[in-house]
Amino acid sequence: MVTAGNALDNEQVSIPAYVSVTTDPISVTDLVRHVSTTHAGAVVTFSGDVRDNDHGRDVLSLEYEAHPTAQTILEKVVSQVAAKFEVEAVAVAHRHGPIAIGDAALVVCVSARHRGPAFDACSALVDEVKAQIPIWKHQVFADGTDEWVNCA
Amino acid sequence: MVTAGNALDNEQVSIPAYVSVTTDPISVTDLVRHVSTTHAGAVVTFSGDVRDNDHGRDVLSLEYEAHPTAQTILEKVVSQVAAKFEVEAVAVAHRHGPIAIGDAALVVCVSARHRGPAFDACSALVDEVKAQIPIWKHQVFADGTDEWVNCA
Amino acid sequence: MAVTVRLFAAARSAAGMREVQLEGATVRDVLDALQVTSPAVARVLPQCSYLLNEVACRDHSASVADGDVLDVLPPFAGGAH
Amino acid sequence: MAVTVRLFAAARSAAGMREVQLEGATVRDVLDALQVTSPAVARVLPQCSYLLNEVACRDHSASVADGDVLDVLPPFAGGAH
């Protein structure tokens, strides 16, 4: 559980959060279980899966590299973002290491009483996690070239 | 597969859609499998679960009743809404009959190349399906009273 | 004309019956006959929508034929959310 | 001051090394020394951010101490999406 202190209004906000940076395959079912409660009416889940193409080029294989601080930073980002929404619980997992095409690299799962906050929080978490987590993506293309995504 | 014809501009749009009105428990894993493709980078899933309370009253048990046209109408709504978004595939299941607290009554799953359309389409599908599907919800409360939701 | 009226959800609960055969020349006639047969259902009808042979029917002056099926649909579970 | 510089992702690929010990009194000194040691990394550095002992470091005039660790971080995978 990650406890988020909202610095703006000195109000303590604590949304139960499961956060994982892992080389293991991500189980969406497990993450959903982490956020399930009998009084949460809505669960919204995002799964960011590895594609077989990027900008029209066929991707043969890819690998994510994580900085040693990735888990700590992910916990901080998740608790800060979750605290802004009326949600019951959140679960976020980011995978690193080699990943097979079609496997999930990032999964975000949010439960809430109502679906509006569940959708909003899930979408905001995906945006902020992707922007802030120190993880890099290395793609090898079918034509033999390779690239670190976002690095010219 | 449901094929949607867009009457407004005579353009034929066909988004692969799995649609089910069922008394069986809904498997989110199965629905996700229905929308998965190796070139869809984002999968967004909504699960509307049965809550143990409503407007502050404890819910003991509940049951959904479906009109015989529910499957046909769901197919129509899903294909119309899906055609408005840049998505790869959608899967929608609505359960009826008795449902245990915590089980899913409605699950909507959308895959897309990019996460924006996946979130938008999933949210729009939930709104339109809930508004248009001829299904009723009967709740029995802990205090012995019961109600048909939305009927005074 | 003999029309089969099918009652769903809150309409069925209020009327205490699932289905009834009623006479009339129009949808309005049949609904009037329904309220005579089951005064309790009158409370629910203002919120209801109707299907004639499973097609939406908003015009209550529409004619009905022998064997037609008129469905009485209370507001759907998700309609107001 | 002897500082350990750790290179990640595209910076490591460009430099062809994962870690190097360099001398300097400030972050800027150490980065200048890095570009002398590995001219190939110079192309990547303008896009990079830095951590000094795993804390974000934007002020390149900051002093470094013996044993400090300076991490070179290229843009993250999700940063531009």
Side-chain angles (χ1 to χ4, degrees):
Chain A
M1 180 171 314
V2 174
T3 302
N6 187 329
L8 285 175
D9 55 13
N10 285 325
E11 194 187 310
Q12 284 297 110
V13 180
S14 172
I15 308 290
Y18 170 84
V19 176
S20 170
V21 174
T22 175
T23 54
D24 295 332
I26 300 171
S27 163
V28 173
T29 309
D30 279 356
L31 290 193
V32 169
R33 202 170 292 131
H34 275 288
V35 303
S36 290
T37 72
T38 55
H39 48 278
V43 177
V44 172
T45 304
F46 167 85
S47 178
D49 302 339
V50 164
R51 288 182 297 182
D52 61 4
N53 68 88
D54 195 23
H55 303 294
R57 287 198 290 171
D58 288 339
V59 176
L60 266 191
S61 69
L62 58 82
E63 186 160 356
Y64 285 84
E65 176 180 343
H67 188 267
T69 59
Q71 170 79 28
T72 307
I73 288 176
L74 185 58
E75 289 172 5
K76 200 183 77 182
V77 170
V78 168
S79 61
Q80 284 174 346
V81 175
K84 296 177 184 169
F85 298 91
E86 293 274 327
V87 297
E88 295 285 324
V90 303
V92 179
H94 203 306
R95 195 167 161 198
H96 61 115
I99 307 192
I101 303 294
D103 273 17
L106 169 64
V107 177
V108 175
C109 197
V110 176
S111 65
R113 278 173 180 267
H114 302 289
R115 67 184 184 271
F119 274 111
D120 292 346
C122 188
S123 178
L125 279 164
V126 174
D127 287 349
E128 282 305 306
V129 167
K130 286 177 80 90
Q132 295 191 43
I133 194 168
I135 282 186
W136 301 276
K137 182 181 183 177
H138 186 242
Q139 299 187 131
V140 177
F141 297 100
D143 62 10
T145 60
D146 73 296
E147 70 163 8
W148 288 97
V149 174
N150 278 343
C151 295
Chain B
M1 180 174 312
V2 175
T3 301
N6 187 330
L8 284 175
D9 54 12
N10 286 325
E11 194 187 310
Q12 283 297 108
V13 179
S14 170
I15 307 290
Y18 170 85
V19 176
S20 169
V21 174
T22 175
T23 54
D24 294 331
I26 300 171
S27 163
V28 173
T29 309
D30 280 355
L31 290 192
V32 169
R33 202 170 292 131
H34 275 288
V35 304
S36 291
T37 72
T38 54
H39 47 279
V43 176
V44 172
T45 304
F46 167 85
S47 177
D49 301 340
V50 163
R51 287 182 296 182
D52 61 2
N53 67 89
D54 196 22
H55 301 294
R57 287 199 290 172
D58 288 339
V59 175
L60 266 193
S61 69
L62 58 83
E63 188 160 355
Y64 284 85
E65 175 180 344
H67 188 267
T69 59
Q71 171 78 30
T72 306
I73 287 175
L74 184 58
E75 288 172 6
K76 201 183 76 181
V77 170
V78 167
S79 61
Q80 284 174 345
V81 175
K84 295 177 184 170
F85 298 91
E86 293 274 325
V87 297
E88 294 284 323
V90 303
V92 179
H94 203 306
R95 195 168 160 195
H96 61 116
I99 307 192
I101 303 294
D103 274 14
L106 169 65
V107 177
V108 175
C109 197
V110 177
S111 66
R113 280 175 177 265
H114 301 289
R115 65 184 186 270
F119 274 111
D120 292 346
C122 188
S123 178
L125 279 164
V126 174
D127 287 350
E128 282 306 307
V129 167
K130 286 178 80 93
Q132 295 192 43
I133 195 168
I135 283 187
W136 301 275
K137 182 180 183 178
H138 187 242
Q139 299 187 131
V140 177
F141 297 100
D143 62 11
T145 61
D146 72 297
E147 70 163 7
W148 288 96
V149 173
N150 278 342
C151 296
Chain C
M1 308 298 169
V3 171
T4 300
V5 176
R6 300 193 300 187
L7 300 161
F8 294 88
R12 184 186 62 245
S13 292
M17 60 188 173
R18 183 176 297 271
E19 193 173 307
V20 59
Q21 303 283 331
L22 294 169
E23 292 286 328
T26 66
V27 169
R28 182 170 294 112
D29 291 347
V30 175
L31 292 177
D32 287 346
L34 175 63
Q35 293 180 70
V36 171
T37 303
S38 168
V41 86
R43 182 180 56 81
V44 179
L45 290 190
Q47 308 176 62
C48 289
S49 57
Y50 303 94
L51 303 180
L52 187 58
N53 301 323
E54 300 205 335
V55 174
C57 168
R58 287 187 186 81
D59 176 13
H60 293 195
S61 64
S63 299
V64 292
D66 258 337
D68 277 358
V69 177
L70 181 68
D71 288 349
V72 178
L73 312 186
F76 307 147
H81 288 244
Chain D
M1 309 297 169
V3 171
T4 299
V5 176
R6 300 193 300 187
L7 300 160
F8 294 88
R12 185 187 61 243
S13 292
M17 60 188 173
R18 182 175 297 273
E19 192 172 307
V20 59
Q21 303 283 330
L22 294 169
E23 293 287 325
T26 65
V27 169
R28 182 170 295 113
D29 292 345
V30 175
L31 292 176
D32 288 345
L34 174 63
Q35 294 180 68
V36 171
T37 303
S38 169
V41 86
R43 183 180 56 82
V44 180
L45 290 190
Q47 309 176 61
C48 290
S49 58
Y50 304 93
L51 303 180
L52 186 58
N53 300 322
E54 300 203 336
V55 174
C57 167
R58 287 188 186 80
D59 176 12
H60 292 194
S61 65
S63 299
V64 292
D66 258 338
D68 277 359
V69 177
L70 181 68
D71 288 349
V72 178
L73 311 187
F76 307 148
H81 289 242

